[in-house]
Amino acid sequence: MELFKTLKKPIIALAPMAGCADRAFREICVSMGASFAVGELCSAKGVSMGDQKSHTLLYISDKERPMASQLFGSDIDAMKQAAISATKYNPDFIDINMGCPAPKVASSGGGALLMKDPVNSAKIVEAVVKASTVPVTVKMRSGWDDSTINAVELAKRCEQAGASAITVHGRTKVQMYAPPVNIDIIREVKNAVKIPVIGNGDVVDGKSAAKMLEETGCDMVMVGRGALGRPWVFQEINAYLDHEVISPEPTVMQKMHVMLRHIEKICEYKGERVGIREARKHAAWYTKGLHGAANYRARIGLIESVEELAQIAAELIEQNN
């Protein structure tokens, strides 16, 4: 995949997190060192119906590139048509979600449920590759459950179907986000295919990123929950992988500055009424670990404006000096 060849090494990507990694967060993370971002998963069925939510999910700004649109679904024709629609937004590539464990996604036949049928999943990849004018990648898990660890088989089939890269989250659908990630399955996928493999799961800092790269041999690393409330994690990882430097934790003032910039973006793009409600969870993540944070998070859960959040930020800075 030519895009990956042009990116500065190491390549550390932002994972597609529904309800979290929206345009505002992607722009923040790219500005802080993320090599590329993958958009929130978008329903192929929703795209075919032309709903406004799909437009929002597929929209890409110049500040978040390189950027992939992510699609999910189990119907081959719907996925093909969704890929055609997605290319109108000029993504750098299209990612097919075969790893989302959310019941709502799996019950529709998409996400991790696709791992139960590798043959049909490969047909979806083939159809999307043929319909797309940009490269197509696939994000998967290790399997559905412990008795069906089939990431290697699925990765091979996806490669044969024309996928340009594979992301592997080293947990099953049933495991959700615990216990610790299975490094072995990522390494097995890497050894089984010739296309780039991206390791995903439990990457939260420079040392865990280095461990993922060293123990799996993967080509790139993807960060998900480790970036929530900590978008500067990409700077930390790059510093460690480039120079083995453990970056100092940002000051409380620096953290609050990034938080407010992030929340202002959310409100700019979604309107303050919707944006401030979505901002509450992000603001709570930004305050994690700060002195007195528990009390402030209770207040954050009730904020109605950016000004209220700015006041809380000022108080946190003063209390943590």
Side-chain angles (χ1 to χ4, degrees), residues 18-265:
C20 299
D22 59 4
R23 176 186 173 187
F25 191 57
R26 294 193 300 264
E27 289 185 355
I28 290 289
C29 289
V30 169
S31 75
M32 304 197 83
S35 303
F36 67 87
V38 181
E40 299 174 90
L41 73 171
C42 183
S43 165
K45 183 178 180 181
V47 174
S48 65
M49 295 174 64
D51 65 343
Q52 181 59 35
K53 182 179 180 181
S54 295
H55 166 76
T56 301
L57 291 173
L58 292 174
Y59 178 81
I60 301 173
S61 71
D62 289 338
K63 294 180 181 178
E64 53 190 320
R65 293 184 182 279
M67 167 76 182
S69 296
Q70 190 181 67
L71 303 173
F72 79 90
S74 58
D75 183 85
I76 294 175
D77 287 336
M79 287 291 285
K80 180 173 65 176
Q81 292 304 317
I84 294 171
S85 296
T87 57
K88 297 175 183 176
Y89 294 87
N90 297 314
D92 293 286
F93 59 103
I94 289 176
D95 189 61
I96 300 175
N97 186 295
M98 297 187 186
C100 181
K104 182 179 180 181
V105 174
S107 64
S108 71
L113 190 65
L114 290 175
M115 297 201 71
K116 285 191 169 185
D117 190 351
V119 174
N120 186 65
S121 296
K123 290 179 180 178
I124 290 174
V125 174
E126 183 178 19
V128 173
V129 168
K130 289 180 178 178
S132 175
T133 58
V134 296
V136 175
T137 62
V138 177
K139 189 173 192 292
M140 63 180 68
R141 285 189 165 237
S142 60
W144 180 262
D145 56 28
D146 287 339
S147 65
T148 56
I149 304 295
N150 64 343
V152 171
E153 177 194 356
L154 181 57
K156 287 181 176 179
R157 289 184 180 275
C158 289
E159 179 181 38
Q160 292 167 0
S164 294
I166 302 286
T167 300
V168 184
H169 182 127
R171 294 188 179 91
T172 66
K173 183 274 179 191
V174 172
Q175 289 175 320
M176 298 292 284
Y177 299 102
V181 68
N182 180 352
I183 290 289
D184 294 339
I185 191 64
I186 301 174
R187 181 174 60 251
E188 289 171 17
V189 171
K190 172 59 185 172
N191 291 337
V193 299
K194 293 182 175 61
I195 56 178
V197 172
I198 305 167
N200 180 215
D202 290 351
V203 177
V204 298
D205 54 24
K207 288 186 176 181
S208 54
K211 178 181 178 181
M212 175 69 77
L213 290 166
E214 292 167 5
E215 296 189 9
T216 69
C218 64
D219 303 276
M220 295 162 263
V221 168
M222 184 169 279
V223 182
R225 291 172 300 142
L228 295 176
R230 299 187 68 250
W232 48 83
V233 70
F234 295 99
Q235 294 177 335
E236 293 178 356
I237 292 174
N238 284 319
Y240 187 84
L241 295 180
D242 283 342
H243 309 291
E244 293 190 359
V245 172
I246 298 177
S247 302
E249 187 75 4
T251 65
V252 176
M253 181 177 291
Q254 290 170 330
K255 290 179 179 181
M256 294 299 96
H257 174 74
V258 174
M259 178 188 74
L260 290 173
R261 183 159 63 97
H262 180 184
I263 274 49
E264 286 168 359
K265 279 180 174 285

